Amino acid sequence: MSSAPPCPRPPGSPWRHALEGALSVATAVLAMTAAASAALTVLGAGVIAPVSRLVPMMVSMAVGGGVTVESAPAAESTDGGGLGGGLLGGLGGGGGGLSLGLTGEAAVTPLMLTFLGTAVLAIGFFRPLRRRQRPTPALLWARCGGALVTSAVVLPILAGMAQGTARLPESVTERFGKGASSGAFSRFGGGGGGGLTKGLSSVMYETDTAATVFLGLMWVGAVLALGCLAARRTTLPRPVALSRLRLKWNAVTSTLTGIGAVLCCSTLVVALLAAAADLTGRGQAAKAAGLLLLLGPNLIAVLLTAGLGTSWQAGMERLQPEGGGMLGGAGAAQGDAAGKDKSIDLGGWSGAGVPLWLIAMVFMLLLLVIAGYLASARTPARTPREDSEALLDRHAEIALRTGIAVGVSALLLPLLAQGSVRIGISLMGNEMGGMTAELDGGMGLSALTGFVLAALASYAGSRLHSRRARRSDIAPQRPGNTNRRPAATRPATWVPSDTVS
C-alpha cells in the first residue's frame, strides 16, 4: 500500500515573501558577524581595539568596503608637546612645531565571511520555496524586494558602526621607528624612533560607507540572480524555471557553485580542527584558525588561479621619503640600513620539488573532470529532433559552457582575492616613510588558459559519464531481481511542482 505524496504548501502572500527575503539577509549578516567575532577573538585583536568595533569593519570589508586610517587627535598631543604634539619640539620648545601625521588604507576582502554570508543568504532565500506550489513572478519580485530593501537599511548602519580608535601593535610602531624616516627625524632632536613610535601609537579608522552600500547591494543582487540560475530542487515561477537561459546553464552553474562551496567548507573544517588543536596547547594553531576563518577562500582562489596562469606576487615594501635634500638623504640611508624590500613569487614556490603552479594545474584538471561528469549527469537527455537540430553534440555544449564559466571566474577571482595594506608617515605634506604590503595577481592569459583547460577536462568528464551510463543500461539483470514488479506497477514517487528546478 503506497502512501500519498505530500501536498505542497500554498505559495503565500507577497508580504510573507518580502518578510522571508528580509530575514534571509538579516540571517546572513548575523552569520558573518559571528564568524568575524570568532576569528578576531582567537587572533587576539582585542588588544588593538574592542572586538565589537572591529567586527562591523570586517563585515563591511567582506562586501567590498575599504578602510582608511589616520592619526588620532589624542596621539598628536601625547607627552605635552613632545613629538606627538610637534615634531620640532626639541628646537622650538613648548607644544608648537610641525605636526606629524599618519595615514593609510586597507583593501582586503575576507572571502570566508563573504562565502558564509552568500551560503546563508541563498539557503534562506531559496529553500522555503522547495515545498511550495509554484509562485507567481510578482511573489518572487516581492521576495527580492524584501532582501534588497533590508540590505539598503542594514549596510549603512553596519558601515557607520565600523569606525573608532585603534592602538597599533608594538611590532608595527617599532618598524616606523627604524624605518625610512627615523634618520631624518633624529636631526631635529627626536631621539631616534622612541618619540616617534610613542606619538603614532593610536590611529582612527573608518569604513567607506558609499562603497560598502553600493557593493553590498551588488553582492546581494548577484547572489539572487545566480541562485535563480543555479538553484536545484526548488520551485520557481514558470517564466524563470522554463527560461532558455536557465535550461541551458543550470547544470553547469549548479555544479561549479557546488564544487566551490565544498572547497570553502573544507577550509572551514580545517579552521575548526586548528581551533580544536589549540586546546591541546599548540599556540600557533589559534592564529591559523583565525586566519582561515577570514582568508581561507582567498588561499583557495590563489591556488586555483595559479594553475591557470595567474602570476601571484606577495611582498612588503618600505616607502622612501619624497624628494631629496637633508631629510630625503638621511631617510634613504636609514631605510637601506633598516632592511630591504621582500617579494615572493607564489606560483614559482616549490613544495616537495614541484612548483605550486603545476600542483594547482593538476588539481584544477581533476576538479574540472568531476565538474564535467556531474554536469552531464544533471543535463537532461536530448530528443532525437533536438539532437539533429543542434550545432554541437551534448558533450561539446557542456564543455563550452564550462569553459566560459571558468574563464569568467579566472578574471574575477584575482580581483576578489588580492589585497593591500598601506601605512605612511607625512610631514609638511610630504611623505617621510612608511610601509606597504600587498598580494597582487597578474591575470595575463589566465582566462584563455582556464577556458581551454575547462573545456577539455569537462568534455572528458562528460564522455566518462556517458560511457558509464551506457554500461549500466546494458548490464545484465542480477538473478535476485527477477521477482521485482514492473516499473509501470510501482508507486510513483512525488516530485516537486517545478520538475525542471
Side-chain angles (χ1 to χ4, degrees):
M1 182 177 179
S2 61
S3 59
C7 181
R9 295 180 296 168
S13 64
W15 289 108
R16 181 172 182 176
H17 280 268
L19 179 60
E20 289 181 350
L23 288 178
S24 63
V25 172
T27 307
V29 173
L30 288 177
M32 297 166 72
T33 301
S37 178
L40 294 174
T41 300
V42 298
L43 287 174
V47 299
I48 300 176
V51 174
S52 59
R53 287 287 186 179
L54 295 176
V55 167
M57 180 188 70
M58 297 304 300
V59 177
S60 300
M61 295 175 70
V63 297
V67 177
T68 58
V69 298
E70 61 180 3
S71 299
E76 297 178 358
S77 59
T78 304
D79 297 336
L83 279 177
L87 178 63
L88 303 184
L91 292 179
L98 301 176
S99 60
L100 185 67
L102 185 147
T103 59
E105 57 273 344
V108 181
T109 305
L111 289 182
M112 179 59 81
L113 303 184
T114 309
F115 163 72
L116 290 175
T118 300
V120 173
L121 174 60
I123 293 174
F125 189 92
F126 290 101
R127 189 171 180 81
L129 299 174
R130 185 171 182 177
R131 297 294 182 182
R132 286 184 179 171
Q133 296 177 4
R134 189 188 306 278
T136 62
L139 295 181
L140 183 63
W141 279 113
R143 200 176 189 86
C144 295
L148 292 174
V149 170
T150 304
S151 302
V153 174
V154 171
L155 291 176
I157 297 175
L158 197 67
M161 297 172 57
Q163 58 182 349
T165 304
R167 183 176 181 84
L168 293 178
E170 293 184 1
S171 59
V172 176
T173 55
E174 286 176 359
R175 286 179 178 271
F176 287 155
K178 298 178 182 179
S181 57
S182 60
F185 296 139
S186 63
R187 292 176 174 265
F188 296 96
L196 172 63
T197 59
K198 193 172 183 180
L200 298 178
S201 58
S202 297
V203 295
M204 296 178 60
Y205 63 89
E206 63 178 353
T207 304
D208 188 351
T209 303
T212 300
V213 175
F214 177 73
L215 295 176
L217 290 175
M218 288 188 61
W219 164 65
V220 173
V223 172
L224 300 184
L226 184 61
C228 289
L229 191 64
R232 301 176 63 243
R233 291 189 293 271
T234 188
T235 306
L236 296 174
R238 187 176 297 275
V240 177
L242 300 180
S243 64
R244 186 178 182 88
L245 183 65
R246 177 176 166 81
L247 292 177
K248 286 184 173 296
W249 286 90
N250 176 258
V252 172
T253 54
S254 63
T255 299
L256 293 180
T257 53
I259 291 177
V262 170
L263 293 177
C264 293
C265 288
S266 65
T267 61
L268 183 60
V269 171
V270 174
L272 296 178
L273 293 177
D278 179 64
L279 300 178
T280 63
R282 299 179 181 179
Q284 299 299 326
K287 294 183 179 181
L291 290 176
L292 288 176
L293 280 175
L294 295 177
L295 304 175
N298 297 64
L299 302 179
I300 292 179
V302 171
L303 174 64
L304 296 182
T305 54
L308 300 179
T310 302
S311 176
W312 286 100
Q313 299 286 335
M316 179 180 295
E317 179 184 0
R318 296 183 183 274
L319 302 177
Q320 300 297 332
E322 295 180 354
M326 178 176 60
L327 295 179
Q334 184 70 15
D336 294 339
K340 298 181 179 179
D341 300 339
K342 298 180 180 179
S343 180
I344 301 176
D345 181 11
L346 297 181
W349 177 80
S350 178
V354 181
L356 180 64
W357 68 267
L358 183 57
I359 299 175
M361 181 179 291
V362 174
F363 184 58
M364 276 291 295
L365 288 174
L366 177 62
L367 290 179
L368 291 172
V369 170
I370 296 175
Y373 185 93
L374 295 177
S376 179
R378 296 174 180 180
T379 301
R382 289 176 174 177
T383 62
R385 181 177 180 180
E386 292 175 342
D387 207 5
S388 62
E389 295 177 351
L391 296 178
L392 301 174
D393 66 355
R394 182 170 178 269
H395 308 291
E397 281 193 353
I398 293 175
L400 179 62
R401 293 167 190 159
T402 305
I404 293 174
V406 173
V408 173
S409 300
L411 293 176
L412 296 179
L413 285 180
L415 299 178
L416 297 175
Q418 66 185 4
S420 63
V421 177
R422 183 181 183 277
I423 299 178
I425 306 172
S426 60
L427 173 67
M428 296 183 292
N430 294 323
E431 190 171 80
M432 302 308 302
M435 58 185 297
T436 178
E438 63 179 357
L439 174 64
D440 183 41
M443 290 177 287
L445 299 177
S446 58
L448 179 60
T449 306
F451 172 81
V452 174
L453 290 180
L456 294 177
S458 60
Y459 184 85
S462 180
R463 282 288 187 183
L464 179 63
H465 172 267
S466 178
R467 185 175 182 179
R468 182 176 181 132
R470 193 181 306 113
R471 287 182 177 180
S472 300
D473 292 340
I474 64 176
Q477 191 177 28
R478 295 181 181 179
N481 296 338
T482 54
N483 294 328
R484 288 184 179 180
R485 288 182 296 173
T489 63
R490 298 175 190 168
T493 57
W494 178 82
V495 295
S497 57
D498 186 357
T499 55
V500 298
S501 299

